[in-house]
Amino acid sequence: MSNKRNVAIVGVGLIGRAWAAIFARAGWSVRLTDSHAPTLGAAPGLIYDELRALNRHGLADDPEGAMSRISVASGLADALKDAEFVQENGPEKVEDKIALFAELDRLAAPDTLLVSSTSAIVASRFTESLTGRARCLVGHPVNPPHLVPLVELCGAPWTSQEAISRARRIYHAIGQVPVTVNKEINGFVLNRLQGALLAEAFRLVGEGYMSAEDLDHTVKDGLGLRWSFLGPFETIELNAPGGIPDYCARYTGFYKELAAESAGPEVYNSPNVDRVIAAWPHQPTPKRIGGLTSQRNERLAALVAHKTKQIN
Ligand SMILES: NC(=O)c1ccc[n+]([C@@H]2O[C@H](COP(=O)([O-])OP(=O)(O)OC[C@H]3O[C@@H](n4cnc5c(N)ncnc54)[C@H](O)[C@@H]3O)[C@@H](O)[C@H]2O)c1
């Protein structure tokens, strides 16, 4: 293996392109591969656009330098040559992950880490039969990963601690915020938390307790303001003079009542889901979705730049 740090980005759709920008920005040499030639051909230009957008917010020093470290491989074997880390971003289907990981395990050097971006497929479902299964794990990013740094690491029962620690160090070194899910669970942690909130939002709007727009205000102008720099435990530590034990003594009786009546899966069925859709006063036109996505990315970049300044 050469002294350069090499990563292979396998699948360069939305998520793969973001990983390419992140690794290249951090000084790694990045090899791109994708089974769809037009997607692969378009990837460098789109990655450059993202790097320049990051640069405008002070989040990437040298987009041209980063681009000089990115190259298109002639295939999977070529992409894996000398790679110490593989970030897999293929389709979210277990049969695709099984086929891809079999190829990755066959072609990669034995100590190369094989990491999947999968949102919801635990690693034990696509790595069990592999010779090198101890070096396989999930590194689940949040969209868009170049602006939201969290990565959830989760191994299968046979993933080595060494592989998880090494992946954690690498993600930290490239500017992401890795967290470890200690054992496999459906949805990992981020989507379980998001799912708890979403189910309650569907119930409250579907049953007419609040308008959809006011519910969004409750998060973005209420809970979410604190959540951009405090987690739920840090939040409750400050919500009672004696910290978390005091908070538990004062408020868990009330939260027990709420937990006993929490929203169930029926909130996503008709008629509740129809009422939620009807409650949203906008049509999802491509113009609206495109415009709001750009605005989201600009505002996220400004927020990340602000948070970065506070930490440094
Ligand atoms: N989009 C999100 O919000 C999000 C967030 C977190 C994680 N993820 C996960 O990231 C992964 C990729 O998602 P995406 O949104 O980038 O999807 P995408 O459809 O944009 O990209 C998938 C890419 O994989 C390519 N591909 C298919 N088969 C391949 C193969 N055998 N070898 C190489 N490339 C192949 C496709 O051509 C495509 O370019 C999924 O597992 C998804 O669950 C997505």
Side-chain angles (χ1 to χ4, degrees):
M1 211 169 274
S2 72
N3 290 329
K4 275 194 315 185
R5 304 208 77 174
N6 297 308
V7 61
I9 304 293
V10 177
V12 289
L14 189 66
I15 296 298
R17 292 194 298 269
W19 278 123
I22 292 165
F23 276 98
R25 174 180 64 180
W28 284 56
S29 291
V30 178
R31 301 282 280 154
L32 309 177
T33 182
D34 196 291
S35 56
H36 186 244
T39 300
L40 186 58
L46 293 168
I47 295 166
Y48 188 36
D49 290 345
E50 292 299 350
L51 283 164
R52 279 187 303 187
L54 288 170
N55 178 256
R56 282 200 300 279
H57 288 278
L59 297 172
D61 292 341
D62 178 12
E64 289 73 27
M67 283 311 293
S68 72
R69 291 186 284 276
I70 297 179
S71 56
V72 170
S74 63
L76 198 54
D78 184 35
L80 295 181
K81 197 168 165 291
D82 292 335
E84 69 174 84
F85 197 94
V86 174
Q87 186 80 39
E88 176 275 321
N89 320 280
E92 185 71 353
K93 290 195 197 123
V94 72
E95 56 277 18
D96 286 321
K97 301 289 187 208
I98 290 170
L100 255 170
F101 267 73
E103 280 295 274
L104 295 176
D105 193 43
R106 189 174 67 79
L107 294 168
D111 58 350
T112 302
L113 289 172
L114 306 180
V115 187
S116 175
S117 291
T118 175
S119 305
I121 309 174
V122 290
S124 55
R125 294 185 62 203
F126 55 90
T127 62
E128 184 169 12
S129 62
L130 303 180
T131 316
R133 65 186 193 168
R135 40 78 173 260
C136 299
L137 63 143
V138 169
H140 169 226
V142 187
N143 189 42
H146 55 298
L147 294 173
V148 184
L150 188 91
V151 194
E152 290 184 286
L153 304 193
C154 186
W158 44 80
T159 305
S160 72
Q161 279 310 312
E162 185 277 331
I164 292 175
S165 307
R166 190 150 47 105
R168 205 174 155 123
R169 280 197 302 277
I170 288 172
Y171 282 128
H172 181 71
I174 63 171
Q176 300 302 94
V177 178
V179 294
T180 305
V181 182
N182 294 325
K183 48 190 175 178
E184 290 187 335
I185 183 167
N186 193 16
F188 304 118
V189 168
L190 182 135
N191 279 327
R192 292 183 75 87
L193 294 175
Q194 177 162 253
L197 185 78
L198 199 62
E200 192 60 28
F202 266 56
R203 193 257 284 278
L204 291 169
V205 169
E207 294 183 5
Y209 289 98
M210 190 175 257
S211 71
E213 285 164 308
D214 276 3
L215 191 133
D216 270 2
H217 277 299
T218 309
V219 176
K220 67 187 176 184
D221 300 310
L223 292 169
L225 273 182
R226 286 191 306 230
W227 283 347
S228 71
F229 61 95
L230 291 178
F233 293 111
E234 290 167 327
T235 300
I236 66 169
E237 185 175 23
L238 305 185
N239 281 0
I244 293 176
D246 189 18
Y247 188 93
C248 290
R250 288 173 190 239
Y251 301 118
T252 50
F254 166 64
Y255 283 115
K256 267 186 216 163
E257 278 174 34
L258 296 189
E261 56 185 57
S262 64
E266 69 284 349
V267 299
Y268 298 115
N269 294 341
S270 202
N272 196 68
V273 71
D274 310 315
R275 291 196 291 256
V276 170
I277 292 168
W280 191 240
H282 307 284
Q283 291 306 311
T285 60
K287 187 169 171 229
R288 174 179 165 80
I289 302 295
L292 289 178
T293 303
S294 305
Q295 196 183 72
R296 177 200 66 188
N297 289 357
E298 286 291 310
R299 294 180 74 172
L300 265 176
L303 183 59
V304 172
H306 167 74
K307 284 189 64 163
T308 310
K309 253 189 269 149
Q310 302 308 301
I311 291 163
N312 289 340

